[in-house]
Amino acid sequence: MAEQPMARADGRRADALRPLRLQRHFTKHAEGAVLVCFGDTQVLCTASVEEKVPPFKRGSGQGWVTAEYGMLPRATHTRSDREAAKGKQSGRTQEIQRLIGRSLRAVFELDKLGERTIQIDCDVLQADGGTRTAAITGAYVAAVDACRHLQRQGLLKEWPLKDAVAAISVGIVEGVPMLDLAYVEDSACDTDMNVVMTGKGGLIEVQGTAEGAPFSREEMERLLDLAQAGIQQLVQAQQEALAHE
Amino acid sequence: MAEQPMARADGRRADALRPLRLQRHFTKHAEGAVLVCFGDTQVLCTASVEEKVPPFKRGSGQGWVTAEYGMLPRATHTRSDREAAKGKQSGRTQEIQRLIGRSLRAVFELDKLGERTIQIDCDVLQADGGTRTAAITGAYVAAVDACRHLQRQGLLKEWPLKDAVAAISVGIVEGVPMLDLAYVEDSACDTDMNVVMTGKGGLIEVQGTAEGAPFSREEMERLLDLAQAGIQQLVQAQQEALAHE
Amino acid sequence: MAEQPMARADGRRADALRPLRLQRHFTKHAEGAVLVCFGDTQVLCTASVEEKVPPFKRGSGQGWVTAEYGMLPRATHTRSDREAAKGKQSGRTQEIQRLIGRSLRAVFELDKLGERTIQIDCDVLQADGGTRTAAITGAYVAAVDACRHLQRQGLLKEWPLKDAVAAISVGIVEGVPMLDLAYVEDSACDTDMNVVMTGKGGLIEVQGTAEGAPFSREEMERLLDLAQAGIQQLVQAQQEALAHE
Amino acid sequence: MAEQPMARADGRRADALRPLRLQRHFTKHAEGAVLVCFGDTQVLCTASVEEKVPPFKRGSGQGWVTAEYGMLPRATHTRSDREAAKGKQSGRTQEIQRLIGRSLRAVFELDKLGERTIQIDCDVLQADGGTRTAAITGAYVAAVDACRHLQRQGLLKEWPLKDAVAAISVGIVEGVPMLDLAYVEDSACDTDMNVVMTGKGGLIEVQGTAEGAPFSREEMERLLDLAQAGIQQLVQAQQEALAHE
Amino acid sequence: MAEQPMARADGRRADALRPLRLQRHFTKHAEGAVLVCFGDTQVLCTASVEEKVPPFKRGSGQGWVTAEYGMLPRATHTRSDREAAKGKQSGRTQEIQRLIGRSLRAVFELDKLGERTIQIDCDVLQADGGTRTAAITGAYVAAVDACRHLQRQGLLKEWPLKDAVAAISVGIVEGVPMLDLAYVEDSACDTDMNVVMTGKGGLIEVQGTAEGAPFSREEMERLLDLAQAGIQQLVQAQQEALAHE
Amino acid sequence: MAEQPMARADGRRADALRPLRLQRHFTKHAEGAVLVCFGDTQVLCTASVEEKVPPFKRGSGQGWVTAEYGMLPRATHTRSDREAAKGKQSGRTQEIQRLIGRSLRAVFELDKLGERTIQIDCDVLQADGGTRTAAITGAYVAAVDACRHLQRQGLLKEWPLKDAVAAISVGIVEGVPMLDLAYVEDSACDTDMNVVMTGKGGLIEVQGTAEGAPFSREEMERLLDLAQAGIQQLVQAQQEALAHE
């Protein structure tokens, strides 16, 4: 019955996250480099500091935070074409990278960052649903590392992050609201929602889509409840990952 | 005080739509051709019937509905570059046209359409906020006209639309939840939400974004209430526009 | 017999223009915005003032006038692909926009314009033959409105336009020279000629093409006579449209 | 005085062509390969037979003739960017190659060609004005060679060319109508006209442009007279070049 | 003295490889998925089986092997632009992926593969010199895994690989011939050579480039000796990695 | 027997070059313009002086030398698509133009050139194998002419070329090592090697590829011997061509 959290393909309860991993310093060149895993979804998030800003920020005293997203061709079940070879990024890629950029900027105080850019790159090594929410969750940790790098170099007067940010997907699968959908669940779901929240619980983005039948206000409430609880766990895990240097 | 609908730049109440216009047969070639105006926002929505489907639908017995979106270079306050001259569509354009396509497909029964495509084109002649929601609202009327055209030609066994669909923007401007934001309001708002609903009141898409401070669950509820009431009026107007042949 | 002006599909005489409409202030943002209709051909011409010039004019004290041309996908009988989605403008589009730009520059004194650009955009809302000639005729009116805007702001020392410019198509259809071809006539004609002239009757562009059999010098003379008379009417209509503020 | 043909930079009379060269079999792979020189303007025109037609001609029993045009980067006084490296052909290039294609098709009977394509390539090795008219003049000779090749192979039932075609530029330079403009004359001219005619004297294309002041009907007549006489000489030279195998 | 292998920045002898790692099954979707590390250079090589071949192989009874190469934007010391965002692959990228494809095809018997494609993707997660040679070495192991996958499914009549293939870089750094250059060595070297060999010692590719002074035949011999010894170790390591299922 | 130089299709000995032609001043605008022919392979090499350098050289006091390569569509047996029309250069084109650029830079002293660029363009008029090696050999002569032009204008303090550079292909055809492969030989060969050397005999580039079976060290030595002797003849011919002004 839909009211009871029921078991899923991987044995999880409906309100359970997949095993979470946030591995900092995964590669050596970037100022922040985090491998984030939501179960079998693996995304490498790097944060690069660049001592310049886009034209519309020049002379403003403010910095900028932006993101790009990509997927290795064989991150997916069947190989997808390489966007660099096709010569353009898909609409889906652009939507996701714009979402990641907006989500990160929501917790930054750009004037405290100074006139520099933090360039986030989220590259999916293996995909199993939820790549954009994993990317946001990992990108925050990479961004903190990049800011700590700036701080260690004495380049920041004030800490430029005002809150944490994390994201999770929720959806209604065969009538049951579920947290953190894996690919098979995502493919089968009627309603799919991505929620981005701050550490303090403020909503940054809510993107709900009826894949099959429309959804009701009540279903939406149930999904937001699930997401809220899940994001609290993610923010907790971010803090733990960042606890040590 | 935020609780009271207050007057706006154009004198509207916070819960009022802008003057709405749905002018069918605006141009003569397309099977459906609707000029939709939400105040000063003017979008020409055409629905073209093409007797072919994309590769992934071939042989399926099902049709397809898809959309493209564009903006005339001087639809906006300052001229924006022509996408055809730049050689690519922006991420924003792609997001919007994907949204329009999904929204329309949500009310179509593709097997009843038969193996043909309804291609929606939404071109903004003049922009003053809410172009994507006007586009969806007008595109539905154009799609009905295209289906009536098919019906008159005896090409449909069953009516392929199961419901109406309309969309509206809502936002929190200086603390006040408002319906159908004009450009100056949209630029100033803290939270911006686009809501797509069916005629029967089911949610198709909810896309809320914190432009400034994060928003709370309570604010989100208030915005959804406003949107729901606004969309009911839009659906009523769609029915009236479609009442005559 | 070809010597006598004969009736056409729409009842016009061979030497008659289609009903002409020049609606100024059609949209609100552009400095000039004119909807021009040659019968069922409808083109929105906007003139945008930009306070910069292309690199080859910088520091010259001279301004620049240039044009872009587009067609809404369903302006035509069957839908044509959106150039922004295809990622490039067709050769036909480029030819037309280069012609519009040259034609307008022929009546401008660029040094009196000052170092600024008037960017013309001609977008076809509905096509029924003669879109390029309608575009030139409407663009001139939009350009005057843009110059008046500059004048009202005190930005012009001298009036930068030295003459009016208008354009019309002529062609030989089943042996009969005809003025202002509609689409069905254009498709059937042996020879198609576009003529651009100033208000004072000077030739700016003559582009004659044999679609079927070659044409003789005598036929060419007949076509130029027709065009000359037609353009005089267009220039008259431009003056009337511009008579009031 | 403008009435008298006067001497030019290279000593020519106003009504004289530059030294003309039509060298067949300039390269060995193409079915037709002609180096055409109008003075210092050198264009390599090849005609390639391809046993296929574009989609819109498939199953029609008709062939197709089309052209592409290019300029080596240092064919000009100062190097121009390589279009292949820029990733697109300029509007000028597209205009010219469309003109060449139309001009050649005007003398072909496509049903007699059979369902195959003659692909013309005109590549400018050295530019000194008049590259498009040289290209058309040389392309005709290359096309004849390609048809002779087909004929020798027994692939043609009837000869598919109904006439010759050649082209020349004319212009008004400091008040004097002149034939076959070299680059320095072209840069300085008030009016520039390209004329394409058949061997029998029919007009195929007339493209006149006022670069400075508008031109009158009388001036146009003078230019057409000059062009007509020049093209007769070109057609004569084409016949001579083609006289031997 | 140059004759004696001398110690390097990381303490290696001139004729020593960096620590090598060949981790199979690094991701789960691809038929072959190998993380190859040459020291700090880390490349993820996947081999995807696709049951189709390019047009030029259709109906030939033969299969095809091809490769694509990419670099994550922050794989390098300073971030490089994302090729998918720029809309094209660099000349360097294309050179490398063509080299990988040729090298793998050199050890395949395409008729034994059957009409299917093995698509190799080599994506650099971290770069420290030698990414193309690491890619070839890892791609062979991924290709073996893909062939084993086909064999387990009973899709191969005969084993399609006739030999192993591996690659290494060699160079002359400050006069000293060295094996397997790290980035700092590669930047400083006079001569850089990439060598691809089979398991049996046959040469597949030799690409030597003088970065500074030209090199002599004697230096070339020294480099080939070093490379040959290094590749033998790589082939040995490939065999060990492939020894277990 | 492989040991004995044997006759080839065109009667050459295995160690003989094809007839060589180096025609300077082939076109008139470029500072250097050389038509180089290796038998039926004809490449027009121009060297253009541009008084600017790429961004990474600005302010360095050093110049730059770079190259672009192209092939006329019908330079080949069957017509190949025009890269400008396709909108991108192939991987092969990019490889070749990078090779030409590197080869020329190897003999330049960029500080003596001053902050200017020598832009090499190599365009193949007719192809019969060895286009890249002909291009390098001709480009050197064009570059000398461009430097002499600079010298005559008093723009060089010191001569910026420290040596000559030329290139040749060698390969093993049916077991026989051969020099300067024509197209039919190139298509049939097992091993193909391009060698670039200086006038003093230093190696600049060696690119050997096994097209069929791998090659041995011994075969490689044989090929290098052939190439070395061939390049000495080419350098001799360059000197003769440059002997007069």
Side-chain angles (χ1 to χ4, degrees), chain D residues 26-31 40 42 44 46-50 68-79 81-89 97 119-123 125-128, chain F residues 26-31 40 42 44 46-50 68-79 81-89 97 119-123 125-128:
Chain D
F26 187 74
T27 56
K28 69 173 187 178
H29 298 308
E31 285 72 31
D40 278 340
Q42 305 181 347
L44 174 51
T46 58
S48 301
V49 175
E50 297 183 318
E68 287 184 359
Y69 169 94
M71 182 121 74
L72 296 197
R74 196 56 195 283
T76 43
H77 280 79
T78 56
R79 185 176 183 274
D81 289 341
R82 185 178 291 267
E83 292 188 331
K86 283 200 298 182
K88 63 179 208 176
Q89 295 179 298
Q97 64 193 13
Q119 169 74 47
I120 304 291
D121 286 286
C122 298
D123 286 273
L125 304 189
Q126 188 171 278
D128 188 28
Chain F
F26 186 74
T27 57
K28 71 173 186 175
H29 298 308
E31 284 73 31
D40 278 339
Q42 304 181 350
L44 174 52
T46 59
S48 301
V49 175
E50 297 183 318
E68 287 182 0
Y69 170 93
M71 182 121 72
L72 296 197
R74 196 56 197 279
T76 42
H77 279 79
T78 56
R79 185 177 182 273
D81 289 341
R82 186 178 289 270
E83 292 188 332
K86 284 199 297 180
K88 62 181 209 177
Q89 295 179 297
Q97 65 193 12
Q119 169 74 47
I120 304 290
D121 285 288
C122 298
D123 285 273
L125 304 189
Q126 188 172 280
D128 188 32

Side-chain angles (χ1 to χ4, degrees), chain D residues 52-197:
Chain D
K52 62 181 179 188
V53 286
F56 62 90
K57 281 289 180 191
R58 277 182 207 145
S60 69
Q62 294 194 316
W64 190 240
V65 178
T66 186
E68 287 184 359
Y69 169 94
M71 182 121 74
L72 296 197
R74 196 56 195 283
T76 43
H77 280 79
T78 56
R79 185 176 183 274
S80 35
D81 289 341
R82 185 178 291 267
E83 292 188 331
K86 283 200 298 182
K88 63 179 208 176
Q89 295 179 298
S90 72
R92 177 186 174 278
T93 291
Q94 293 195 54
E95 261 183 52
I96 294 174
Q97 64 193 13
R98 283 157 55 89
L99 172 65
I100 300 169
R102 277 200 312 275
S103 298
L104 269 287
R105 282 194 298 275
V107 293
F108 261 91
E109 297 188 79
L110 296 175
D111 49 344
K112 295 185 180 163
L113 182 56
E115 274 201 38
R116 57 178 60 86
T117 296
I118 293 186
Q119 169 74 47
I120 304 291
D121 286 286
C122 298
D123 286 273
V124 180
L125 304 189
Q126 188 171 278
D128 188 28
T131 62
R132 80 189 70 187
T133 53
I136 291 167
T137 304
Y140 169 72
V141 179
V144 170
D145 271 334
C147 291
R148 287 183 180 173
H149 169 88
L150 285 168
Q151 201 174 40
R152 278 193 303 272
Q153 297 196 307
L155 293 167
L156 294 178
K157 291 189 192 146
E158 292 180 86
W159 184 246
L161 281 155
K162 56 188 173 197
D163 205 344
V165 62
I168 200 67
S169 74
V170 284
I172 300 173
V173 184
E174 295 176 16
V176 185
M178 287 185 179
L179 181 69
D180 189 16
L181 307 186
Y183 177 74
V184 286
E185 296 165 336
D186 193 16
S187 310
C189 78
D190 287 314
T191 298
D192 177 25
M193 190 176 296
N194 291 297
V195 180
V196 185
M197 293 180 81

Side-chain angles (χ1 to χ4, degrees), chain B residues 128-150:
Chain B
D128 188 29
T131 62
R132 80 188 71 186
T133 53
I136 291 167
T137 304
Y140 169 72
V141 178
V144 170
D145 271 334
C147 290
R148 286 183 181 174
H149 169 88
L150 285 169

Side-chain angles (χ1 to χ4, degrees), chain C residues 90-92 94-95 98 102 198 202-210 214-217 220-221 224-225 228, chain D residues 90-92 94-95 98 102 198 202-210 214-217 220-221 224-225 228:
Chain C
S90 71
R92 178 187 173 275
Q94 291 194 58
E95 260 183 53
R98 282 157 55 91
R102 277 200 312 274
T198 64
L203 289 160
I204 295 293
E205 289 268 346
V206 174
Q207 297 195 339
T209 299
F215 53 101
S216 65
R217 287 286 293 276
M220 188 158 176
E221 296 311 310
L224 286 169
D225 290 341
Q228 199 158 355
Chain D
S90 72
R92 177 186 174 278
Q94 293 195 54
E95 261 183 52
R98 283 157 55 89
R102 277 200 312 275
T198 63
L203 290 159
I204 297 292
E205 290 268 344
V206 175
Q207 298 195 339
T209 299
F215 53 100
S216 65
R217 287 285 295 274
M220 188 159 177
E221 296 310 310
L224 286 168
D225 290 341
Q228 201 158 353

